[in-house]
Amino acid sequence: MTPIPHVIHLVISLAPGGLERLVVDWTNARNKRHPGSTLICCLDERGALASQVESNAVVCLGATRSRKPFDVVAVRNLRQLLSTLPSMTPTLTTQQPNNSTTVLHSHNAAAWQYGVLACLGKSIRHVHTEHGTNPHGKGLINRLRNAWLWRCTSEVVAVADPVAESLSQVQGVPGNRIRVIPNGIETVCRTREQGNEVRVKHGIPAGATVIGSVGRLAHVKGHDRLISAFSRMTTHNLILLLVGDGPERTNLERQARELRLSDRVIFAGYQANPWPYYSAMDLFILPSRSEGLSISLLEAMAAGTSVAVTDVGENRAVLDEGRAGTLLPGNEEEWVTIVTALLTDPLRDARVAIAKDRVRSHYSLDSTLQGYENLYS
């Protein structure tokens, strides 16, 4: 029998975010197939999403990453965890041969560095996945560090072609060392009735048209651009629904007040289950300044919600050059006309059908998991 590798996902935390939700879904799905095979290790803190990890398969190092050049105690504890993982997973080890290997799977830059340090001198495979195109390689010191990181890593993965290009051009990782494994989500049928419950919960008037977005409220996500454009939309009974939390929430709420939009912009906060919120929207907008492969975009498409997104990251490819949704120009002043037209677009249902089929055929959770399983083995 071929042994199933033990896998530790290494993340900064499980605070709400697309990357973190992916890791939770991957861990739960893999542990259902191979009980006790997969664990999540958080560097800093557990985070709100830790409660969604089944069988409590989460540990936290409590690292203080401000320590220079790194938190030695956290590295030591991670090395110890890598050594003791097989004894912590009795369900797996009673079903599999004793020679099961251990794979450390880090996600994004901070976790990558700690992962490499923890694996030094150990016969442990280290897979690293980069999820976004934000550059972490500017400056000589960062480029030298990145050169060391990729040389000490078994496999480097990008979630989309633009992310692979960023890894190569900005961070100096050779193109032939990068594999691309697209993100995938669980594609299950959703109902619009859940959306009606959301509308009632937040006091949205009957017959109102709702545009919205789901994601972390951070500058890179561009919600300030969306609020600015929304302020110039004069369509009667139009509501903006923002789902998520983050460092920019206070500034965004202030922006809405200053534009006299407080009665038309709803901040729903973080939602552990965002699916009903997609169903509450007539149009989902992703206004990001930078993206890798957006999970919220895939979810909106799978939920049967019409989508409009900025032309960054993998968005154009996900929408099949605009056949499955609308690509927004870089200038948000042009969004007003485009969005207003989309709300009465006669082709909207056709695009929604294409979008749902595209997620099922190209971005399923099963295909993503199989891609990584091939790597682990």
Side-chain angles (χ1 to χ4, degrees):
M1 180 185 296
T2 302
I4 301 298
H6 300 275
V7 174
I8 297 180
H9 287 287
L10 182 63
V11 296
I12 295 174
S13 76
L14 288 176
L19 177 166
E20 293 79 9
R21 286 170 56 200
L22 279 175
V23 171
V24 169
D25 288 345
W26 294 351
T27 299
N28 288 341
R30 193 169 192 268
N31 277 336
K32 285 179 180 177
R33 298 177 184 180
H34 311 296
S37 66
T38 315
L39 186 73
I40 300 176
C41 179
C42 301
L43 275 177
D44 295 358
E45 59 184 6
R46 288 169 63 91
L49 295 182
S51 62
Q52 298 182 19
V53 181
E54 298 169 5
S55 302
N56 197 31
V58 181
V59 296
C60 181
L61 299 177
T64 304
R65 289 186 294 116
S66 60
R67 292 176 182 168
K68 302 297 182 181
F70 51 84
D71 188 331
V72 176
V73 175
V75 173
R76 184 182 65 203
N77 290 341
L78 180 55
R79 289 176 64 85
Q80 182 178 3
L81 176 65
L82 292 171
S83 299
T84 58
L85 179 63
S87 64
M88 296 172 62
T89 55
T91 305
L92 176 67
T93 54
T94 56
Q95 295 177 354
Q96 301 295 334
N98 292 328
N99 62 341
S100 291
T101 58
T102 298
V103 177
L104 181 65
H105 188 163
S106 59
H107 300 267
N108 281 356
W112 193 2
Q113 176 174 307
Y114 275 80
V116 166
L117 291 168
C119 289
L120 288 176
K122 290 181 174 290
S123 57
I124 291 176
R125 300 279 287 175
H126 180 190
V127 174
H128 174 72
T129 296
E130 197 70 21
H131 292 259
T133 56
N134 292 331
H136 301 288
K138 292 184 176 180
L140 178 60
I141 293 178
N142 281 330
R143 291 188 69 85
L144 290 174
R145 182 193 64 174
N146 291 337
W148 171 67
L149 290 177
W150 69 258
R151 284 181 170 86
C152 295
T153 305
S154 307
E155 298 285 354
V156 179
V157 180
V159 301
D161 289 332
V163 179
E165 292 171 9
S166 177
L167 275 169
S168 180
Q169 296 174 8
V170 179
Q171 302 193 48
V173 182
N176 61 3
R177 282 297 316 275
I178 305 170
R179 296 175 184 250
V180 176
I181 300 178
N183 288 338
I185 64 170
E186 194 172 8
T187 56
V188 297
C189 183
R190 311 289 169 176
T191 65
R192 304 303 292 185
E193 286 73 17
Q194 294 175 309
N196 294 332
E197 295 173 5
V198 166
R199 287 177 173 235
V200 171
K201 174 183 176 181
H202 291 282
I204 297 174
T209 300
V210 178
I211 64 175
S213 192
V214 177
R216 190 167 55 94
L217 301 184
H219 178 74
V220 69
K221 296 300 183 180
H223 295 98
D224 57 314
R225 306 169 71 191
L226 179 54
I227 292 175
S228 177
F230 180 76
S231 70
R232 297 189 295 277
M233 297 179 191
T234 58
T235 303
H236 179 66
N237 218 9
L238 188 63
I239 298 294
L240 176 59
L241 177 61
L242 298 179
V243 182
D245 215 334
E248 285 297 304
R249 177 164 180 168
T250 300
N251 291 334
L252 294 171
E253 290 176 333
R254 182 186 304 113
Q255 180 187 12
R257 287 195 304 271
E258 291 175 350
L259 293 172
R260 299 181 180 180
L261 296 173
S262 296
D263 60 334
R264 297 175 56 207
V265 179
I266 296 172
F267 289 88
Y270 163 70
Q271 299 295 327
N273 177 19
W275 287 100
Y277 286 80
Y278 295 114
S279 298
M281 299 173 189
D282 296 286
L283 176 66
F284 169 87
I285 298 181
L286 186 70
S288 302
R289 292 180 167 91
S290 175
E291 275 294 345
L293 202 169
S294 169
I295 298 305
S296 61
L297 171 58
L298 296 180
E299 289 176 340
M301 293 166 65
T305 303
S306 180
V307 299
V309 303
T310 48
D311 192 4
V312 296
E314 190 74 351
N315 289 350
R316 176 177 287 272
V318 171
L319 294 189
D320 193 18
E321 301 293 327
R323 282 178 280 274
T326 300
L327 293 164
L328 296 171
N331 182 6
E332 60 264 28
E333 293 184 1
E334 300 178 42
W335 298 359
V336 179
T337 302
I338 296 171
V339 169
T340 301
L342 285 175
L343 296 175
T344 56
D345 182 9
L347 298 178
R348 182 166 62 174
D349 289 346
R351 288 199 182 98
V352 165
I354 293 172
K356 293 180 73 170
D357 182 67
R358 187 158 178 78
V359 173
R360 283 193 295 266
S361 60
H362 290 78
Y363 303 103
S364 71
L365 178 63
D366 286 343
S367 62
T368 299
L369 290 176
Q370 187 57 57
Y372 281 110
E373 210 61 48
N374 294 340
L375 228 58
Y376 297 154
S377 298

